[in-house]
Amino acid sequence: GVGGVGGVGGVGGVGGAGGGGVGLAAKRDEMIWVGSPTNPLREAFQHCAARTFGHRLVHRMPDKEEMHDLAWRCPPGAGATLAGKWREPCSIKPRGWTPLEEQCRYKYIVHLPGISDWLEHFKHQLACGSVNIFLGRMPRRRPSGAAGAAGAAPSGGVQPPHAFEHFDFSGPLLLEGETFLFVPATASNVCERLQVALHGLEAAPERGECLAARGQQLAAELSLPRVYSYLAGVLNEVEEGVD
């Protein structure tokens, strides 16, 4: 189902971050994955990636406890005066924190599902102009007659993205194979599947250029006025369906 829209305001402003304005050919010919081994697929990837990709994969793992504190224990308005009372600031950057600016310097940004299969930061990383690769479970089976492409529906309505079970407002706008690359994988073959995908991209570099450019274009188009217009359209469609 559709998740919340928290953090939307930053999407339109990250297009120029770090390597976001650098062409794909000028980026580091490496992959970066920022994440912790929180499920079997991530554990398997962490185990096999070092021997499969060596220095081509850069793995950054923020301190888990500090990330948890920042996400769940940092009160809104911390570091400011609220109702005449000063709130102590929260930790700004957990150990091992990798800012978007640094991630944008890499040619490939690797994503793996966490607790759910949707990653809130996905839409921000599209702004890098890198090739975003999502390694996930096989897509769910769709009802008969449903569209196969993300965001497309026989009636012209909004459909959930093909690669994700859970998503936020930007999910239906993602086009698999156009704005990002989806690589179905399991714990037993995740590194092998990624390696095959990389070989395919290297054999046809124009495809990677197109994926990076289309993803960056989508992120740049997610300005607040357009997001609000899009959400209004979705809500109107839901209301018509209820009626």
Side-chain angles (χ1 to χ4, degrees):
V2 179
V5 294
V8 174
V11 180
V14 295
V22 176
L24 193 64
K27 294 178 182 285
R28 297 177 185 170
D29 190 19
E30 298 174 341
M31 301 172 282
I32 185 168
W33 172 47
V34 179
S36 305
T38 54
N39 58 43
L41 183 62
R42 287 185 170 206
E43 289 175 357
F45 183 67
Q46 184 184 41
H47 181 71
C48 67
R51 68 172 183 270
T52 304
F53 304 108
H55 64 84
R56 283 204 72 188
L57 176 72
V58 175
H59 179 204
R60 298 290 172 77
M61 187 163 54
D63 184 270
K64 185 177 179 181
E65 293 301 321
E66 292 179 11
M67 283 291 292
H68 181 273
D69 288 348
L70 185 63
W72 298 105
R73 298 177 186 170
C74 185
T81 300
L82 187 65
K85 295 183 179 180
W86 169 256
R87 292 194 172 194
E88 289 297 322
C90 298
S91 172
I92 301 300
K93 294 180 181 178
R95 285 170 292 174
W97 179 263
T98 305
L100 182 64
E101 179 180 1
E102 182 177 346
Q103 297 176 49
C104 287
R105 297 191 178 109
Y106 293 83
K107 184 178 287 188
Y108 306 103
I109 300 178
V110 176
H111 308 263
L112 289 96
I115 296 174
S116 75
D117 60 347
W118 177 250
L119 303 169
E120 172 62 24
H121 49 72
F122 195 94
K123 56 183 173 288
H124 298 275
Q125 288 159 315
L126 288 175
C128 287
S130 302
V131 178
N132 283 268
I133 303 174
F134 178 67
L135 297 163
R137 308 173 191 89
M138 293 294 291
R140 65 192 183 287
R141 307 185 77 173
R142 296 226 172 157
S144 178
S155 63
V158 174
Q159 283 286 312
H162 187 56
F164 301 100
E165 292 262 8
H166 309 90
F167 53 95
D168 69 2
F169 75 92
S170 65
L173 302 176
L174 296 174
L175 298 176
E176 177 189 325
E178 293 188 33
T179 55
F180 75 104
L181 183 63
F182 173 53
V183 180
T186 65
S188 64
N189 66 9
V190 59
C191 284
E192 177 185 351
R193 294 304 302 271
L194 178 56
Q195 192 169 47
V196 170
L198 287 173
H199 288 162
L201 290 169
E202 290 166 351
E206 66 281 359
R207 187 185 182 204
E209 294 277 0
C210 186
L211 284 164
R214 289 291 301 274
Q216 190 173 44
Q217 179 184 4
L218 173 60
E221 291 173 350
L222 291 177
S223 63
L224 277 178
R226 298 195 69 174
V227 168
Y228 291 150
S229 176
Y230 169 74
L231 289 175
V234 172
L235 292 174
N236 287 336
E237 187 173 314
V238 170
E239 185 179 13
E240 290 173 3
V242 172
D243 293 342

